[in-house]
């Protein structure tokens, strides 16, 4: 009997046993005065003893509800809640058989007496576009964090990387009391904020600042979570300290401290390690061990090239200075040093032949970044709000490269060899600011918004390159270079968005406005050859020096309609951009000017239909035109690479694209199962493509051209379910994503086409036994195939298998034993690279002082097999590459969690204060 059959049989018996214990509860909720059905009323059953929620649902348009749940012997409350009505409460001795509660009537608050009983433990409330969960209705351990609480909420899923989805919609931001708390994504909050201080968890559609201020409907497919803290516990400090040292001089250290006092919140963090963790880890089992939990990482690219030493520090602040002024700010410092050794094999496809290139490189890249953000929101009066968002970003980098390559043709004849050694230093400063102004008028939904953005960036680089390139065919002269390259680039962008909204009816709104843009970019490139006589770089190389200037000014009138009623939201927008696009180049003392004017149309539409609380359907369409870049337009040769010359094409036309997508999401609260489907297609009526010419020595000259009627289509879906049976929790799901694209280009004057197919099916299962054990196997397959026309080969394909098993044991008490075991197999990679490898990480920890302190021993890559070998297939080449990765090391670490909370302080009065 196979193991797969045994697992299936076990699941069958579990489901069968569960079905035999199920009962059906139903009824109808009506308005007592109008006798009309009440839609979207929350119906739920809770334990009389501790108010724990047993099961819940909502009513349909006919006021009907139906719940399938397990039998329950203890006393329960049957409760109904809806905004604007008094709550209905009825006690029952148990739920032991099917029951029809018949017609249940609610009394509208406007008819109620003064003595109204307020029910405070309503588990879920629906407030227009916001779903609100009462944290006290979902029981977790006293020492649990927010992540544990969220996992108990129906419709919520959190993967091993901390990504949250609610009813199939990904969460793009997590706020605390309406404000960002250090990181927008909320990973800090999930792992560190205690569940016991949480009052509500609110879920709504994500809105941009403009949509938020103007109270427009959201146009995003993402969700936003807002966590509100109980006022009785809204003062405190919490954080985590970690330090570890291991073999091969590996180390990690970090701390985060969060302070909050009513509206004021301050976070401070710092981290340093040399194990490829460039951020702040929130993994309780593996900490910063190369990301840990390897089964969830992207399988189509290496998790990182090289080994990185990282140091970071930051502070975040938010407060309400006055009743009218809110302030949020942050500062981040990051310093990284990355070292990598790489080797690659690449096949370039020509119409009638192929070239092969073997390359090796060694790099060391250092960077330092200082970044500061600030947001000041001023509520001038109840109808006017003003928001300032200035930013500053300063960075410095030092990049070193040593590389060598050899190329040959399909006759095994050498065509070129190249060696390069370079060092480049650069400094970048970016200043930016956004101003949002919004005016609401007396008439509901009438609105005026003004958004101003400006950005100024200057990048100054200084580099030295020494290279030698040998050519072996047709007596082409070799190229020796010893050069100093100076490049100064400045970029300025300013934009204004003015929009006025006029309500036609309560559901229909008309928008009119204009977008104004002023962009300019200037690049001064100077290359100096080494002068052996003076032993200095003073001879200007005119062939590799160039000055370019580009400006783009546009005015874009726009208009749109929005319709929002009941479950429907419809948006349509149209605009026309009048663009003045000027490009200038000074090269070899010759002026080149390209002054072009465009009148380009744009349009988009969105239809969203919320079938019910769990089902959601959306359709999007977008028509877009994108201008060529100055690099693609200016007909001046870029000779910086001896093996590649790039020349622009002044006759290029803009990209013209139609994009359409459909999304459907469904989550069933009762069965705790859900699925989502999507389809997206891009039709490029006109697309900018590359055209490459290879000579007999493999030297490539690239320019650009327009091709017509290329396209790409993506389709996919996923399904998941959670089954809870006392201490047993099963979570399992399947997913599959596919992509098909049709590309065109030119090689040696011959048009080629490539039809690429990509499929990534996968499946996962996790089993939790109470708070003692977690077992989570997963599998993912990635299949790539490309078929060519007018190329040296007809087709090529590759299959990547990823298998992963994660286990975590919390027994005996205070011990945590984690294992993360993965296997990767690459079916069609060059023989010079290993096709498969195992990666096994393990961790054992012991907690004391009420689990506030953890002593941990971790081993990364126990089998010492980790590697980074990848294959990349594109329309003109296949590239196999291997990079340096972390190998086996062991580490001992000590961590400590801090958490103290209390409520608002009561004001004390001295006797003289009352006299």
């Amino acid at each position: 009997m196979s193991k797969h059959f045994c697992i299936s049989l076990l699941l069958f018996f579990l489901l069968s046993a569960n079905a035999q214990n199920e009962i059906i509860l139903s009824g109808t909720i009506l308005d007592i005065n109008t006798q009309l059905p009440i839609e979207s009323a929350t119906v739920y059953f809770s334990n009389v003893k501790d108010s724990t929620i047993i099961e819940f649902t909502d009513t349909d348009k006919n006021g009907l509800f139906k719940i399938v749940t397990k039998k329950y012997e203890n006393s329960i409350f049957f409760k109904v809640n809806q905004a604007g009505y008094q709550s209905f409460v009825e006690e029952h001795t148990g739920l032991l058989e099917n029951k029809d509660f018949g017609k249940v009537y609610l009394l509208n608050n406007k008819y109620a007496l003064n003595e109204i009983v307020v029910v405070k433990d309503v588990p879920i409330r629906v407030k227009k576009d916001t779903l609100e969960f009462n944290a006290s209705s979902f029981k977790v351990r006293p020492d649990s964090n927010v992540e544990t609480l969220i996992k108990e909420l129906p419709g919520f899923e959190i993967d091993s990387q901390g990504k949250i989805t609610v009813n199939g919609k990904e969460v793009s931001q997590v706020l605390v009391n309406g404000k960002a708390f250090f990181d927008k994504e909320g990973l800090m909050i999930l792992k560190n904020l205690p569940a016991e201080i949480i009052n509500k968890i609110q879920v709504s559609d994500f809105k941009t600042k403009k949509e938020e201020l103007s109270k427009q409907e959201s146009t995003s497919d993402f969700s936003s979570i807002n966590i509100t803290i109980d006022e009785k516990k809204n003062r405190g400090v919490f954080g985590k300290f970690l330090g570890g040292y291991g073999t091969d001089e590996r180390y990690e250290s970090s701390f985060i401290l969060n302070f909050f006092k009513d509206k004021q919140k301050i976070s401070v963090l710092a981290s340093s390690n040399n194990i490829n963790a460039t951020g702040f880890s929130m993994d309780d089992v593996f900490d910063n061990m190369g990301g840990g939990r390897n089964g969830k990482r992207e399988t189509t690219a290496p998790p990182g090239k090289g080994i990185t030493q990282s140091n970071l520090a930051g502070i975040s602040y938010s407060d309400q200075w006055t009743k009218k002024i809110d302030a949020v700010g942050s500062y981040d410092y990051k310093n990284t040093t990355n070292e990598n050794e790489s080797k690659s094999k690449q096949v370039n496809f020509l119409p009638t032949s192929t070239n092969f290139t073997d390359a090796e490189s060694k790099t060391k890249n250092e960077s330092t970044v200082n970044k500061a953000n600030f947001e000041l929101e001023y509520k001038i009066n109840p109808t006017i709000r003003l928001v300032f968002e200035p930013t500053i970003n300063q960075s410095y980098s030092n990049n070193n490269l040593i590389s060598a390559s050899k190329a040959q043709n399909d006759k095994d004849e050498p065509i070129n060899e190249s060696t390069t050694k370079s060092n480049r230093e650069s400094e970048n400063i970016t200043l930016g600011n956004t101003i949002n102004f919004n005016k609401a008028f007396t008439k509901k939904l009438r609105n005026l918004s003004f958004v101003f953005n400006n950005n100024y960036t200057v990048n100054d680089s200084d580099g030295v390159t020494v290279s030698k390139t040998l050519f072996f065919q047709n007596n082409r002269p070799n190229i020796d270079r010893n050069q100093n390259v100076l490049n100064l680039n400045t970029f300025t962008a300013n934009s204004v968005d003015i929009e006025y909204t006029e309500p036609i009816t309560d559901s229909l709104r008309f928008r009119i406005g204009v977008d104004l843009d002023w962009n300019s970019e200037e690049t001064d490139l100077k290359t100096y050859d080494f002068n052996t006589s003076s032993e200095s770089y003073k001879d200007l190389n005119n062939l590799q020096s160039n000055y370019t200037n580009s400006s783009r000014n546009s005015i874009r009138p726009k208009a749109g309609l929005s319709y929002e009623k009941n479950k429907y939201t419809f948006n349509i927008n149209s605009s026309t951009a009048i663009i003045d696009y000027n490009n200038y180049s000074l090269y070899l003392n010759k002026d080149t000017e390209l002054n072009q004017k465009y009148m380009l149309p744009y349009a988009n539409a969105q239809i969203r239909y919320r079938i019910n609380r769990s089902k959601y359907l959306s359709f999007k369409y977008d028509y877009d035109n994108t201008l060529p870049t100055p690099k693609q337009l200016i007909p001046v040769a870029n000779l910086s690479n001896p093996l590649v010359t790039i020349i622009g094409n002044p006759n290029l036309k803009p990209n013209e694209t139609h994009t359409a997508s459909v999304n459907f999401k469904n989550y069933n609260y009762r069965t705790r199962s859900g699925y989502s489907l999507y389809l997206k297609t891009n039709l490029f009526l006109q697309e900018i493509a590359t055209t490459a010419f290879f000579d007999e020595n493999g030297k490539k000259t690239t320019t650009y051209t327009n091709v017509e009627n290329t396209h790409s289509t993506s389709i996919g879906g996923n399904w998941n379910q959670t089954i809870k049976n006392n201490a047993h929790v099963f979570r399992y799901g399947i997913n599959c994503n596919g992509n098909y694209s049709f590309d065109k280009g030119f090689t040696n004057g011959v048009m080629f086409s490539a039809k690429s197919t990509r499929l990534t099916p996968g499946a996962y299962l996790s089993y939790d036994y109470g708070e003692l054990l977690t077992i989570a196997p997963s599998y993912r397959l990635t299949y790539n195939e490309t078929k060519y026309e007018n190329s040296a080969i007809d087709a090529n394909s590759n299959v990547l298998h990823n298998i992963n098993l994660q286990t975590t044991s919390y027994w005996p008490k205070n011990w945590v034993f984690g294992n993360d075991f993965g296997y990767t197999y690459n079916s069609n990679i060059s023989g010079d690279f290993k096709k498969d490898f195992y990666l096994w990480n393990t961790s054992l920890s012991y907690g004391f002082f009420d689990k506030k302190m953890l002593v941990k021993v971790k081993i990364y890559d126990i089998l010492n097999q980790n590697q980074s070998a990848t294959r990349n297939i594109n329309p003109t080449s296949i590239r196999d590459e291997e990079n340096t990765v972390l190998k086996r090391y062991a580490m001992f670490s000590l961590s400590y969690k801090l958490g103290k909370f209390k409520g608002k302080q009561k004001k004390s009065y001295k006797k003289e204060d009352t006299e």
Side-chain angles (χ1 to χ4, degrees):
M1 184 181 293
S2 71
K3 60 180 180 180
H4 302 291
F5 178 77
C6 292
I7 294 173
S8 301
L9 192 62
L10 175 62
L11 289 174
F12 173 78
F13 281 122
L14 286 172
L15 292 171
S16 298
N18 193 57
Q20 292 175 2
N21 196 37
E22 286 182 344
I23 58 175
I24 300 175
L25 311 174
S26 59
T28 306
I29 310 302
L30 304 170
D31 186 303
I32 194 171
N33 295 98
T34 64
Q35 301 293 304
L36 295 175
I38 300 176
E39 184 179 4
S40 297
T42 303
V43 180
Y44 58 102
F45 297 85
S46 62
N47 190 317
V48 171
K49 184 178 180 180
D50 60 5
S51 297
T52 302
I53 301 302
I54 300 170
E55 194 59 84
F56 69 94
T57 188
D58 59 344
T59 57
D60 63 16
K61 64 180 180 181
N62 298 315
L64 299 173
F65 72 88
K66 181 180 179 181
I67 293 178
V68 180
T69 186
K70 66 180 181 179
K71 295 178 182 179
Y72 201 80
E73 295 182 355
N74 298 326
S75 296
I76 59 96
F77 282 126
F78 165 48
K79 302 181 181 182
V80 184
N81 178 264
Q82 173 69 318
Y85 290 86
Q86 289 191 58
S87 296
F88 174 89
V89 182
E90 189 174 80
E91 186 174 350
H92 293 262
T93 55
L95 299 172
L96 301 176
E97 59 185 5
N98 296 342
K99 183 176 179 59
D100 184 356
F101 289 86
K103 296 179 179 179
V104 179
Y105 295 96
L106 299 187
L107 177 63
N108 194 302
N109 279 340
K110 66 180 181 180
Y111 301 112
L113 300 175
N114 292 330
E115 297 82 10
I116 296 177
V117 178
V118 179
V119 180
K120 296 183 178 180
D121 63 341
V122 178
I124 297 179
R125 294 180 187 270
V126 180
K127 300 179 178 179
K128 195 179 178 182
D129 59 349
T130 300
L131 193 61
E132 182 179 270
F133 295 84
N134 185 349
S136 63
S137 298
F138 301 89
K139 302 300 180 182
V140 293
R141 296 181 314 186
D143 61 343
S144 298
N145 56 21
V146 174
E147 181 180 54
T148 304
L149 173 62
I150 283 180
K151 287 181 177 179
E152 293 298 314
L153 304 181
F156 284 70
E157 292 289 336
I158 304 178
D159 69 13
S160 63
Q161 301 299 308
K163 184 181 77 173
I164 311 172
T165 55
V166 183
N167 299 337
K169 293 180 68 174
E170 185 176 340
V171 174
S172 60
Q173 73 172 7
V174 178
L175 308 175
V176 177
N177 290 342
K179 299 296 181 182
F181 202 5
F182 209 102
D183 67 328
K184 179 181 176 182
E185 290 77 16
L187 296 181
M188 303 288 185
I189 296 301
L190 296 180
K191 293 289 187 179
N192 286 280
L193 196 63
E196 62 181 296
I197 71 170
I198 305 305
N199 181 26
K200 307 287 184 184
I201 294 180
Q202 301 164 331
V203 182
S204 59
D205 293 333
F206 171 77
K207 291 186 176 183
T208 64
K209 179 60 69 173
K210 177 184 174 182
E211 290 171 340
E212 176 191 337
L213 294 177
S214 59
K215 297 182 179 179
Q216 295 180 10
E217 62 283 347
S218 169
T219 58
S220 170
D221 285 330
F222 294 94
S223 291
S224 174
I225 290 179
N226 180 44
I227 300 170
T228 66
I229 298 176
D230 191 334
E231 289 188 358
K232 297 178 182 179
K233 302 175 181 179
N234 200 19
R235 288 170 177 249
V237 56
F238 63 92
K240 179 181 179 181
F241 299 82
L242 169 70
Y245 189 79
T247 60
D248 297 327
E249 298 184 344
R250 300 296 172 202
Y251 75 92
E252 62 178 333
S253 61
S254 63
F255 81 87
I256 177 173
L257 280 176
N258 304 280
F259 308 87
F260 55 96
K261 180 181 178 183
D262 301 328
K263 300 289 185 180
Q264 185 183 88
K265 292 182 278 293
I266 301 174
S267 295
V268 180
L269 67 77
S271 173
S272 179
N273 68 82
N274 62 356
I275 54 174
N276 277 5
T278 56
F280 191 91
S281 173
M282 290 290 104
D283 193 308
D284 285 333
V285 180
F286 288 98
D287 300 317
N288 282 307
M289 290 180 62
R293 308 321 244 180
N294 61 72
K296 291 290 186 179
R297 73 189 183 200
E298 178 59 44
T299 60
T300 60
K305 295 183 178 182
I307 298 176
T308 300
Q309 179 181 13
S310 173
N311 305 288
L312 66 88
I315 182 170
S316 174
Y317 166 85
S318 70
D319 197 4
Q320 186 180 63
W321 289 349
T322 69
K323 290 184 177 180
K324 293 185 175 183
I325 300 177
D326 291 340
V328 177
S330 67
Y331 166 75
D332 298 286
Y333 166 85
K334 180 179 288 188
N335 171 263
T336 60
T337 300
N338 175 275
E339 296 186 60
N340 182 44
E341 293 187 18
S342 172
K343 70 174 183 178
S344 65
K345 282 183 170 293
Q346 181 165 316
V347 183
N348 296 306
F349 305 130
L350 308 181
T352 59
S353 63
T354 53
N355 289 340
F356 305 88
T357 303
D358 290 351
E360 294 183 351
S361 68
K362 184 177 181 179
T363 59
K364 182 177 181 180
N365 301 320
E366 301 177 54
S367 70
T368 301
V369 178
N370 292 277
K371 184 177 181 180
N373 301 279
F374 192 72
E375 178 182 309
L376 188 69
E377 182 173 340
Y378 179 29
K379 303 178 183 69
I380 299 174
N381 60 45
T383 65
I384 300 178
R385 293 171 72 180
L386 186 64
V387 180
F388 293 94
E389 297 177 86
T391 63
I392 181 170
N393 190 335
Q394 184 271 339
S395 64
Y396 167 80
S397 65
N398 187 339
N399 303 315
N400 292 275
L401 166 69
I402 299 174
S403 67
S405 67
K406 293 182 180 181
Q408 63 183 31
N409 57 29
D410 51 11
K411 299 176 184 179
D412 293 333
E413 298 172 339
I415 54 179
N416 67 65
E417 288 185 10
S418 177
T419 58
T420 302
K421 184 177 181 180
S422 69
N423 170 262
R424 181 171 176 265
E425 296 182 358
S426 63
E427 184 176 11
N428 180 286
I429 297 177
T430 300
L431 303 174
N433 186 39
T434 299
I435 300 174
N436 270 277
F437 172 85
N438 190 82
K439 165 65 178 175
F441 296 91
T442 304
K443 186 176 181 180
K444 185 179 179 181
L445 300 179
R446 179 181 289 170
N447 185 82
L448 175 66
S449 69
F450 172 91
V451 182
F452 171 73
N453 284 285
N454 75 296
N455 181 283
Y456 173 76
T457 301
V458 56
N459 185 283
D460 190 2
S461 66
D462 184 346
V464 173
T465 300
V466 179
S467 68
K468 185 178 185 65
T469 305
L470 306 178
F471 298 105
F472 300 107
Q473 302 294 322
N474 295 334
N475 297 317
R476 186 185 183 98
N478 299 327
I479 300 176
D480 287 333
R481 290 181 177 177
N482 185 356
Q483 298 175 325
N484 179 208
V485 181
L486 306 176
N487 191 7
L488 179 62
N489 176 272
T490 58
F491 176 77
T492 303
N494 299 281
S495 67
V496 175
D497 174 4
I498 304 173
E499 187 172 279
Y500 173 76
T501 302
E502 176 66 25
I504 301 174
T505 68
D506 290 342
S507 305
L508 185 64
R509 280 175 280 176
F510 173 71
R511 295 187 302 275
I512 189 170
V514 63
D515 291 334
L516 306 172
D517 291 277
W518 304 271
N519 298 330
S520 65
E521 183 175 10
E522 183 178 23
T523 301
D524 189 7
L525 174 66
K526 288 186 170 64
T527 302
Y528 294 90
D529 292 325
F530 184 75
N531 187 299
T532 55
S533 299
S534 63
E535 294 189 348
S536 64
Y537 297 96
K538 69 175 187 178
D539 298 336
L540 182 66
N541 187 317
N542 291 311
L543 286 173
Q544 296 177 55
S545 299
N546 187 18
Y547 172 83
T548 60
N549 186 290
S550 176
S551 66
R552 186 179 63 193
N553 303 321
S554 70
I555 179 170
R556 186 169 165 174
K558 59 183 180 179
L561 280 173
S562 292
Y563 177 79
E564 183 180 10
K565 190 168 186 178
N566 298 329
K567 300 177 179 181
Y568 296 91
T569 300
F570 173 71
N571 278 289
I572 185 169
N573 300 282
S574 178
S575 63
T576 299
I578 304 168
I579 305 171
D580 188 10
Y581 193 23
N582 301 319
N583 290 283
Y584 169 79
S585 173
L586 176 60
Y587 181 64
L588 298 176
N589 294 319
K590 179 182 177 181
D591 294 327
T592 301
E593 290 189 60
L594 296 174
N595 299 324
Q596 298 165 310
K597 297 184 182 297
Y598 299 89
M599 184 174 289
L600 302 175
Y602 299 83
N604 64 75
Q606 181 185 53
I607 301 173
R608 305 171 73 187
Y609 175 40
R610 193 181 298 275
I611 302 170
N612 54 41
R613 183 188 292 178
S614 62
K615 295 180 181 178
Y616 169 88
L617 177 68
S618 70
F619 169 79
K620 283 186 175 181
Y621 166 77
D622 186 76
Y623 173 72
D624 186 67
N625 284 279
T626 306
L627 293 178
T629 65
K631 173 185 173 182
Q632 294 171 331
L633 280 172
I634 298 175
V636 171
N638 182 335
L639 305 174
S640 58
N641 187 335
L643 291 172
V644 181
T645 299
I646 302 173
I647 305 174
N649 179 3
N651 298 316
L652 285 179
K653 298 177 182 178
N655 289 307
E656 185 180 3
T657 311
H658 293 279
T659 302
S661 64
V662 179
N663 285 270
F664 177 76
K665 296 180 175 66
N666 179 26
Y667 187 88
N668 189 313
Y669 290 96
R670 180 183 62 80
T671 63
R672 293 181 179 268
S673 65
Y675 64 91
S676 64
L677 303 168
Y678 75 89
L679 172 67
K680 182 178 181 179
T681 184
N682 296 282
L683 174 61
F684 303 98
L685 298 181
Q686 194 158 250
E687 185 181 21
I688 297 174
T690 59
T691 173
F693 295 87
F694 290 84
D695 65 15
E696 292 184 352
N697 289 280
K699 188 178 185 302
K700 182 170 71 171
T701 300
T702 298
T703 186
Y704 305 92
T705 189
N706 289 108
V707 295
E708 297 180 345
N709 298 323
T710 58
H711 55 85
S712 68
T713 299
S714 299
I715 186 171
N718 66 79
W719 174 84
N720 64 84
Q721 184 170 32
T722 300
I723 296 177
K724 292 187 176 182
N725 188 353
N726 298 322
H728 306 280
V729 180
F730 288 91
R731 296 182 178 92
Y732 48 90
I734 57 175
N735 59 75
C736 185
N737 299 287
N739 178 267
Y740 174 81
S741 63
F742 176 65
D743 297 294
K744 295 179 183 178
F746 290 86
T747 303
N748 288 3
V750 177
M751 175 181 281
F752 71 84
S753 65
K755 299 176 181 178
S756 301
T757 302
R758 173 184 168 86
L759 292 174
T760 55
Y764 71 90
L765 167 69
S766 72
Y767 167 70
D768 294 334
Y769 179 67
E771 299 168 359
L772 298 178
L773 177 66
T774 298
I775 302 174
S778 63
Y779 169 75
R780 175 180 290 181
L781 179 146
T782 303
Y783 173 76
N784 290 286
E785 181 185 68
T786 302
K787 296 181 179 180
Y788 305 92
E789 291 185 5
N790 292 333
S791 181
I793 65 171
D794 295 327
N796 195 280
S797 64
N798 186 52
V799 178
L800 192 68
H801 300 272
N802 288 90
I803 302 172
N804 185 253
L805 175 64
Q806 300 171 7
T807 64
T808 307
S809 170
Y810 301 90
W811 182 87
K813 185 179 180 181
N814 296 329
W815 289 89
V816 179
F817 180 41
N819 285 277
D820 183 12
F821 183 82
Y823 173 70
T824 300
Y825 177 79
N826 200 331
S827 72
N828 190 16
I829 199 167
S830 170
D832 292 342
F833 302 94
K834 195 170 183 292
K835 291 181 180 292
D836 66 341
F837 71 97
Y838 296 91
L839 180 60
W840 180 12
N841 304 328
T842 190
S843 164
L844 178 65
S845 66
Y846 177 75
F848 49 98
F849 296 152
D850 293 329
K851 297 183 181 180
K852 291 182 179 179
M853 183 168 285
L854 283 179
V855 175
K856 189 178 300 183
V857 176
K858 301 166 288 187
I859 304 177
Y860 180 82
D861 188 18
I862 292 177
L863 304 178
N864 204 31
Q865 289 194 14
N866 191 25
Q867 67 178 36
S868 172
T870 60
R871 164 159 286 203
N872 183 30
I873 302 175
N874 64 51
T876 59
S877 66
I878 298 176
R879 180 181 177 85
D880 295 332
E881 182 178 345
E882 186 174 48
N883 294 278
T884 301
V885 294
L886 274 173
K887 289 288 190 175
R888 179 171 55 201
Y889 68 86
M891 183 175 292
F892 172 84
S893 67
L894 184 67
S895 63
Y896 177 74
K897 287 186 177 181
L898 172 68
K900 295 181 180 180
F901 307 94
K902 59 183 179 180
K904 288 185 176 181
Q905 294 180 343
K906 294 182 179 180
K907 186 175 180 180
S908 60
Y909 295 90
K910 297 180 181 179
K911 182 177 180 181
E912 56 268 24
D913 292 335
T914 60
E915 293 178 352

